[in-house]
Amino acid sequence: MKKKTQTGLIVLFISVLIPHAEISAQITLATIKPEDENEWDLYVQGFIQADMMLNFQETGVKDGFVSHSIEIPQHNVITGNFSIKQSQIGLGIQQKKAKNGKPLSAYIEIDFYGPNGTTAPRFRQGYLQWNQWLLGQTWSNFSDLDIFPNIFDFVPPNAMVFTRRMQVRYTTPVSKKGILSLSMEDPDTPSITLPADSLQWKKKAIIPNFTALYRYGDEKNYIKLGAILSPISYEMKFSPQENYQTQTILGWGAVISGKMYLNKSNIISLQTSFGKGFSTNNSNLNEEKYDAIPDPVNKNLLKTLEMFNIVGIYEHWWTSKWSSVTFISHSRIGEESFIPGNMTKSFQNIGMNIVFQPYKKVRMGIEANYGRRQNFGNQSAHAWRIQASTSVKF
């Protein structure tokens, strides 16, 4: 009886696809022309996406597949979830032409991934661009937006470094095919674990993160080399009579990322990253307190944790309207003996989909994700999810 029920749920799930709909490109709301000035375009863009998901194991995150959130011990249970939370709406204004340099532009974007499981609007991006400068919140310079695969899940393959940050960024060409970008990013970025029995030790945001990213290649085929320096500061004292002292340790990371078109129908993407004290830049571990933890052998002073990530992505276009993506990723935390047993030691993620695009701005299809998580107590659990989605861009 149980097998029949499961089969019925899966059949119902796969059948949830909405009818085809034609859609236009970015929508220009108005063209503004001040007296004796260049024209400005006010526009809106984004997409509406509906997801229906079946989960076959308890996970802490319901709307995206996050291997790090797989609950240990194993507890096989089927749950369903319907969501429109990753739908996004962006509003922008851009100068059409500029007498000197690049046009001035501004952009702001929201999704509906609100707090406590609600669909309240959430701020995603908001920034100004002028010439080679960017100021505001957008994807970290230590991320590679170009490598994000054609998938429905708003969470990328779980080993990718992919986060949004407040920043000041400068980008400039350095050769015919080379572009260099430098940034200073939010000093509150590091995510650390403080001793539970400390005298109110607390994290302190003092020094910003520094990143550098070099891109070499053409519009399609490229390689990126990046680095990040992440100073981690906190206030501490060992007795109530002492004054607080500020301790600063240095986290660092490096990333290599690239994409290659074998031909029009086959695309390969690769990314690997490694370092110490940069774990919060991983899409799974953002704000999960894995950058540094107390070392009981050294008076509970914080020590940065090593991390290694690697992901491979293959995209194939069967026809002009049908495509598939397959990816595999692996992440591993350092081997220090003092790491608590309930902290994640490693996690893996495998995914694949089939996508139908009847029109340029309309996608629908089925996606499957499998993940495994192991902690430092040598316990592990695995989970998989099937997702049916339809997305309409505007």
Side-chain angles (χ1 to χ4, degrees):
M1 187 67 183
K2 186 177 179 181
K3 289 184 178 180
K4 290 183 178 179
T5 302
Q6 293 180 7
T7 303
L9 284 170
I10 293 172
V11 171
L12 175 63
F13 170 70
I14 294 175
S15 67
V16 179
L17 292 174
I18 68 172
H20 302 171
E22 192 163 3
I23 184 69
S24 62
Q26 171 183 298
I27 301 171
T28 300
L29 299 177
T31 298
I32 306 167
K33 188 175 182 180
E35 219 174 299
D36 300 325
E37 296 289 343
N38 290 323
E39 291 184 349
W40 294 75
D41 275 344
L42 179 67
Y43 64 91
V44 63
Q45 67 179 25
F47 63 89
I48 304 298
Q49 180 163 316
D51 304 309
M52 183 176 176
M53 293 158 277
L54 279 180
N55 301 298
F56 296 86
Q57 159 70 2
E58 289 289 346
T59 61
V61 178
K62 304 300 181 186
D63 298 290
F65 192 82
V66 177
S67 297
H68 169 69
S69 77
I70 297 172
E71 294 189 3
I72 297 176
Q74 188 76 34
H75 179 58
N76 294 323
V77 60
I78 297 178
T79 59
N81 184 35
F82 177 82
S83 177
I84 61 167
K85 292 183 179 180
Q86 62 176 305
S87 301
Q88 299 169 15
I89 299 175
L91 181 67
I93 186 168
Q94 181 172 336
Q95 191 178 16
K96 278 193 170 183
K97 294 180 181 179
K99 294 180 180 179
N100 299 306
K102 295 182 180 178
L104 175 67
S105 65
Y107 183 73
I108 188 169
E109 181 181 271
I110 62 169
D111 62 16
F112 300 92
Y113 195 70
N116 303 317
T118 67
T119 54
R122 178 185 68 159
F123 174 70
R124 282 174 58 86
Q125 300 187 77
Y127 56 86
L128 293 169
Q129 279 187 294
W130 177 71
N131 285 334
Q132 288 125 318
W133 292 94
L134 179 148
L135 173 64
Q137 177 169 301
T138 188
W139 303 105
S140 168
N141 192 44
F142 193 64
S143 300
D144 184 1
L145 185 62
D146 298 329
I147 205 176
F148 200 106
N150 186 28
I151 60 177
F152 292 104
D153 193 350
F154 78 100
V155 176
N158 291 175
M160 283 183 63
V161 286
F162 199 78
T163 54
R164 291 184 299 275
R165 297 284 184 249
M166 289 294 298
Q167 61 189 277
V168 177
R169 185 191 302 178
Y170 178 77
T171 303
T172 184
V174 293
S175 67
K176 187 176 180 180
K177 291 187 175 182
I179 298 174
L180 177 66
S181 54
L182 307 170
S183 74
M184 289 191 302
E185 302 186 359
D186 187 358
D188 200 32
T189 291
S191 183
I192 60 177
T193 300
L194 292 168
D197 58 350
S198 67
L199 296 172
Q200 296 183 334
W201 293 12
K202 58 184 178 181
K203 186 175 78 168
K204 191 172 183 179
I206 302 177
I207 308 172
N209 283 222
F210 296 91
T211 80
L213 186 70
Y214 176 71
R215 184 189 192 277
Y216 181 83
D218 54 33
E219 185 178 350
K220 291 184 176 180
N221 302 287
Y222 70 86
I223 185 170
K224 291 182 180 181
L225 305 175
I228 185 170
L229 293 178
S230 181
I232 301 170
S233 299
Y234 62 101
E235 289 186 340
M236 50 77 64
K237 62 180 180 179
F238 295 115
S239 69
Q241 294 76 27
E242 294 180 9
N243 294 322
Y244 282 102
Q245 301 178 20
T246 299
Q247 295 283 339
T248 300
I249 56 178
L250 185 64
W252 64 273
V255 62
I256 304 171
S257 188
K259 179 180 286 188
M260 180 171 62
Y261 281 70
L262 302 179
N263 50 47
K264 291 183 179 179
S265 302
N266 297 281
I267 308 164
I268 293 176
S269 303
L270 295 170
Q271 186 184 88
T272 185
S273 57
F274 53 90
K276 299 181 72 173
F278 81 109
S279 301
T280 197
N281 292 277
N282 175 283
S283 62
N284 265 219
L285 298 180
N286 186 25
E287 300 181 1
E288 291 292 334
K289 301 183 179 181
Y290 276 74
D291 286 340
I293 67 171
D295 181 358
V297 179
N298 188 25
K299 300 180 181 180
N300 272 338
L301 296 177
L302 299 193
K303 185 174 182 180
T304 55
L305 294 184
E306 294 181 0
M307 187 169 197
F308 171 77
N309 303 291
I310 187 167
V311 57
I313 305 164
Y314 171 61
E315 182 175 351
H316 176 73
W317 285 83
W318 306 95
T319 69
S320 61
K321 295 183 178 181
W322 289 90
S323 66
S324 293
V325 167
T326 302
F327 65 81
I328 182 169
S329 72
H330 170 78
S331 297
R332 186 179 182 87
I333 311 295
E335 293 283 357
E336 284 80 358
S337 59
F338 56 83
I339 301 178
N342 63 344
M343 291 187 70
T344 299
K345 182 178 183 179
S346 65
F347 50 91
Q348 295 79 36
N349 178 211
I350 300 173
M352 60 186 66
N353 66 17
I354 180 75
V355 181
F356 176 52
Q357 293 189 231
Y359 303 100
K360 186 177 180 180
K361 300 295 182 179
V362 177
R363 292 190 311 158
M364 55 185 67
I366 302 292
E367 192 163 277
N369 258 293
Y370 172 83
R372 180 179 179 273
R373 174 193 173 203
Q374 182 182 12
N375 63 24
F376 279 89
N378 291 321
Q379 297 174 304
S380 63
H382 63 270
W384 60 287
R385 167 182 291 176
I386 301 175
Q387 174 174 335
S389 300
T390 299
S391 175
V392 182
K393 290 187 177 181
F394 54 89

